């Protein structure tokens, strides 16, 4: 699919479908809608009235201009209130335009640029480029019959994007598409069933990205992790017949790095619960338990393409969590790479064990900060719902940066407090700690469990159990894997960190 820009007057813009964004209650204002409605002698206004189209968020109306426009079809898309519009919302317009374009088998799709302040034009273009790429996503690897997209070209229309602005505008669209593609890559890994997306498959993905983008990659097997003393990670892996893979990707900037960051993602390719086995219903979705790992691996593709002045380690301790004769048992005690011992009382609280060693490992590498993400607790879904990820941290500066990156990227993130009393519930009488707490505040308890493994290094934990995998389509996301939080990661590493640490004082 080609991405382009055009400044042709809307009425003469020859495409199979033109998508027109309309802000709520603003149909009568001069703008893209009025421009096109005038060439139709006010027909669109009358139709909108008849159909109750007011530009409410995600409202849709398709119209056949019957040869009176360059475009064969017009689609009105509700953007909601203008005061609430932010650039990542432009992704919704992109997704909706693609869906409608698919529906009418369009080969060329036009999208009228929503009105935005000059300072936001680039970000809106990125949003559209990202949105159309996300909209093209479908998971059909395992379908015998697939319907390939017929879309050949998406053209963003704006009078302001003429002359020298065209080239930069195209670059913004392309960058959005790069971020969208990284998200789609993560979605594929999350949607892939656990008999296909195994630890070795995640390793293969990492090797591929490393090869394509010139990243360092090191994959460690069970014996190598044993040598490093990763007893907590290997405790989870000991019941699985599929071999664990400790995946480590590294991006090195050309010059001296302004910051070194570690991205750590949970990579449990299937979470049966182990001997503390899950009920059947709760196990259905547990192929998604490597969504954090999929995000860090996939984000590296976009990060490497952007070439930020930041050194990035991406780590995923991949394994299955299975019950078997060799599986770890409730009551077992293990020592991880940090030397800390853990009494395992529930083998379904496995993610934190794998992460403990991964976090300690990256800390040993000498990093300035650690950003970790995991489908860690059902409790987090209870707390924040299916659409919001949680951020937990004791490092104010860092967590604020991460929250702001998420907001800019358009991925919903909310901070949960690390209530000190909940930490006490992890105390064990016979080991340094237990792997489960008192039951209430489970997301916070899991956050507390991870903290000591990061030492004094600024550390943010993201619980993505809710938004990583959807029961149905929502926002820019299809049902199933969403690729969250790839867009936040890319924003954080390629923009937030360079802006904060890149400037010389
Ligand atoms: N992978 C699950 C958490 C999860 C639940 C992710 C639902 C996505 C959707 C995690 O390993 C888990 O089983 N957590 C337990 C922790 C408990 C045993 C302390 C949970 O949430 O029940
Ligand atoms: Mn579990
Ligand atoms: Zn899990």
């Amino acid at each position: 699919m080609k991405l382009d820009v055009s400044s042709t007057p809307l009425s003469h813009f020859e495409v199979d479908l033109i998508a027109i964004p309309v802000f709520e209650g603003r149909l009568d204002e001069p703008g893209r809608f009025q421009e096109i409605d005038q060439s139709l002698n006010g027909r669109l206004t009358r139709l909108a009235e008849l159909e109750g189209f007011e530009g409410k968020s995600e409202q849709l109306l398709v119209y056949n201009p019957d040869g009176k426009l360059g475009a064969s079809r017009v689609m009105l898309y509700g953007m909601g209130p203008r005061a609430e519009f932010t650039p990542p919302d432009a992704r919704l317009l992109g997704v909706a335009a693609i869906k409608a374009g698919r529906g009418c088998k369009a080969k060329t799709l036009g999208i009228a640029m929503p009105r935005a302040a000059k300072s936001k034009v680039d970000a809106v273009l990125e949003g559209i480029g990202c949105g159309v790429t996300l909209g093209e996503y479908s998971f059909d690897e395992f379908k015998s019959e697939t319907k390939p997209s017929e879309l050949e070209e998406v053209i963003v229309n704006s009078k302001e994007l003429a002359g020298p602005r065209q080239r930069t505008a195209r670059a913004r669209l392309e960058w959005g598409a790069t971020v969208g593609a990284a998200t789609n890559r993560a979605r594929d890994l999350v949607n892939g069933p656990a008999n296909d997306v195994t630890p070795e498959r995640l390793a293969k993905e990492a090797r591929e990205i490393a090869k394509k983008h010139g990243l360092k990659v090191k994959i460690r097997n069970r014996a190598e992790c044993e040598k490093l003393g990763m007893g907590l990670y290997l405790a989870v892996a000991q019941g699985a017949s599929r071999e664990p893979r400790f995946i480590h990707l590294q991006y090195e900037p050309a010059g001296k790095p302004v910051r070194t960051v570690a991205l750590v993602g949970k990579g449990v390719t299937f979470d049966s619960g182990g001997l503390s086995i899950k009920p059947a219903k709760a196990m259905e979705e547990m192929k998604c338990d490597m969504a954090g790992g999929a995000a860090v691996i996939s984000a590296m593709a976009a990060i490497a393409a952007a070439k930020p002045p930041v050194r990035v380690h991406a780590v995923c301790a991949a394994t299955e969590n299975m019950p078997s004769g060799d599986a770890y048992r409730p009551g077992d005690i293990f020592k991880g790479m940090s030397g800390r011992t853990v009494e395992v009382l529930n083998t379904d609280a496995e993610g934190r064990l794998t992460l403990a060693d991964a976090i300690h490992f990256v800390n040993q590498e000498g990093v300035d900060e650690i950003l970790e993400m995991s489908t860690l607790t059902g409790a987090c879904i209870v707390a924040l719902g299916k659409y919001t990820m949680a951020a937990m941290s004791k490092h104010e500066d860092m967590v604020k940066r991460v929250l702001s990156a998420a907001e800019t990227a358009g991925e919903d993130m909310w901070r949960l407090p690390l209530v000190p009393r909940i930490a006490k519930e992890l105390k064990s009488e016979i080991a340094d700690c237990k792997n489960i707490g008192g039951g209430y505040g489970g997301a916070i308890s899991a956050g507390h469990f991870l903290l000591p493994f990061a030492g004094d290094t600024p550390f943010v934990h993201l619980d993505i159990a809710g938004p990583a995998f959807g029961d149905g389509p929502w926002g820019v996301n299809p049902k199933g894997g969403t690729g969250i939080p790839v867009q936040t990661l890319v924003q954080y590493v390629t923009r937030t960190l360079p802006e904060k640490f890149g400037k010389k004082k």
Side-chain angles (χ1 to χ4, degrees):
M1 187 181 63
K2 220 181 128 215
L3 293 170
D4 211 341
V5 293
S6 160
S7 53
T8 309
L10 271 187
S11 53
H12 294 85
F13 191 36
E14 287 180 30
V15 284
D16 295 329
L17 173 77
I18 173 77
I20 312 279
V22 182
F23 287 103
E24 189 170 339
R26 306 279 179 137
L27 274 79
D28 53 354
E29 274 186 4
R32 312 318 310 271
F33 174 79
Q34 279 298 324
E35 197 180 329
I36 213 156
D37 194 36
Q38 269 153 26
S39 358
L40 294 167
N41 298 319
R43 265 172 229 228
L44 270 181
T45 298
R46 291 192 293 280
L47 180 69
E49 219 157 86
L50 192 69
E51 300 289 333
F53 179 90
E54 303 165 65
K56 282 204 157 62
S57 165
E58 298 180 41
Q59 230 183 347
L60 199 78
L61 186 64
V62 178
Y63 174 74
N64 169 9
D66 217 12
K68 293 184 182 63
L69 291 178
S72 315
R73 291 172 197 80
V74 177
M75 168 194 146
L76 301 182
Y77 184 70
M79 303 293 289
R82 175 176 287 141
E84 287 167 27
F85 175 78
T86 63
D89 296 334
R91 292 173 308 163
L92 289 164
L93 172 65
V95 171
I98 292 284
K99 294 252 162 72
R102 275 201 166 193
C104 63
K105 298 203 164 42
K107 289 200 168 59
T108 53
L109 170 65
I111 299 180
M113 174 87 180
R115 242 176 70 184
K118 249 209 176 82
S119 63
K120 291 196 172 150
V121 168
D122 281 354
V124 170
L125 286 165
E126 287 177 4
I128 295 175
C130 182
V132 295
T133 308
L134 296 177
E136 282 271 82
Y137 183 78
S138 71
F139 183 67
D140 41 26
E141 216 179 308
F142 293 90
K143 288 265 197 195
S144 312
E145 278 171 45
T146 57
K147 290 172 255 153
S149 168
E150 292 179 38
L151 199 64
E152 287 162 7
E153 196 171 16
V154 176
I155 310 163
V156 175
N157 185 294
S158 164
K159 276 182 287 228
E160 272 100 64
L161 300 179
R165 284 290 290 124
Q166 286 208 352
R167 219 173 53 98
T168 51
R170 244 180 249 126
R172 280 0 294 158
L173 285 174
E174 291 292 351
W175 170 243
T178 300
V179 180
T183 308
N184 287 347
R185 183 171 202 144
R187 289 171 170 183
D188 269 342
L189 291 172
V190 176
N191 286 328
N195 62 339
D196 188 48
V197 181
T198 58
E200 174 52 27
R201 167 72 197 282
L202 288 177
K204 188 174 150 234
E205 203 76 13
R207 281 190 213 101
E208 262 176 43
I209 291 174
K211 191 158 176 220
K212 178 147 185 239
H213 295 279
L215 306 177
K216 280 195 223 166
V217 60
K218 174 130 181 90
I219 314 286
R220 290 179 167 84
N221 61 22
R222 206 188 288 263
E224 290 166 303
C225 293
E226 219 161 75
K227 260 200 205 125
L228 290 175
M230 296 184 174
L232 294 171
Y233 166 45
L234 292 178
V236 178
Q238 84 184 34
S241 45
R242 281 197 175 84
E243 285 298 303
R245 292 287 181 262
F246 189 90
I247 301 162
H248 182 188
L249 274 172
Q250 189 180 331
Y251 162 76
E252 194 65 30
K256 187 178 176 309
V258 301
R259 190 86 173 159
T260 297
V261 61
L263 307 175
V264 178
K266 172 172 172 181
V268 175
T269 57
F270 187 73
D271 182 11
S272 70
L275 289 175
S276 312
I277 199 161
K278 286 182 186 292
K281 201 75 203 146
M283 219 188 283
E284 276 177 14
E285 285 184 359
M286 282 304 133
K287 67 173 182 183
C288 82
D289 215 16
M290 33 54 76
V296 304
I297 293 168
S298 306
M300 287 302 268
I303 289 169
K307 302 195 173 22
V310 177
R311 180 186 291 127
V312 190
H313 293 274
V315 163
C316 171
T319 179
E320 291 189 326
N321 182 25
M322 297 294 276
S324 81
D326 295 319
Y328 72 146
R329 293 155 289 257
D332 285 358
I333 297 177
F334 298 93
K335 186 192 277 186
M337 193 179 173
S338 70
R340 224 174 133 74
T341 57
V342 180
E343 183 187 7
V344 173
L345 289 176
N346 190 319
T347 63
D348 198 12
E350 85 296 343
R352 59 196 77 182
L353 301 171
T354 66
L355 291 165
D357 278 332
I359 292 167
H360 179 82
F361 174 86
V362 293
N363 201 32
Q364 294 287 90
E365 294 286 292
V367 296
D368 297 318
E369 51 181 78
I370 303 168
L371 176 54
E372 169 274 323
M373 62 227 70
S374 42
T375 44
L376 204 57
T377 66
C380 194
I381 313 180
V382 175
L384 294 178
K386 278 296 284 177
Y387 312 116
T388 308
M389 61 186 136
M392 286 163 247
S393 180
K394 291 204 161 171
H395 300 91
E396 297 299 315
D397 279 2
M398 183 180 172
V399 74
K400 279 189 186 127
R401 286 200 295 277
V402 175
L403 283 160
S404 124
E407 191 177 353
T408 308
E411 293 180 327
D412 199 30
M413 184 188 289
W414 204 259
R415 190 172 178 187
L416 288 182
L418 286 164
V419 179
R421 249 181 238 289
I422 294 183
K424 295 202 169 83
E425 299 172 356
L426 288 165
K427 286 204 170 129
S428 164
E429 279 163 29
I430 55 174
D432 295 333
C433 69
K434 302 186 290 186
N435 77 330
I436 52 169
Y440 292 115
I444 294 168
S445 181
H448 271 303
F449 179 90
L450 298 175
L451 293 185
F453 299 96
D456 294 327
T457 308
F459 170 69
V460 171
H461 157 57
L462 304 177
D463 195 328
I464 61 170
F469 199 84
D471 308 327
W474 58 284
V476 298
N477 303 301
K479 183 175 193 270
T482 60
I484 286 172
V486 166
Q487 292 164 54
T488 299
L489 295 183
V490 176
Q491 172 70 27
Y492 187 68
V493 173
T494 67
R495 300 254 168 89
T496 314
L497 287 179
E499 273 162 31
K500 164 92 185 168
F501 298 100
K503 288 186 201 94
K504 298 271 169 305
K505 275 179 212 133

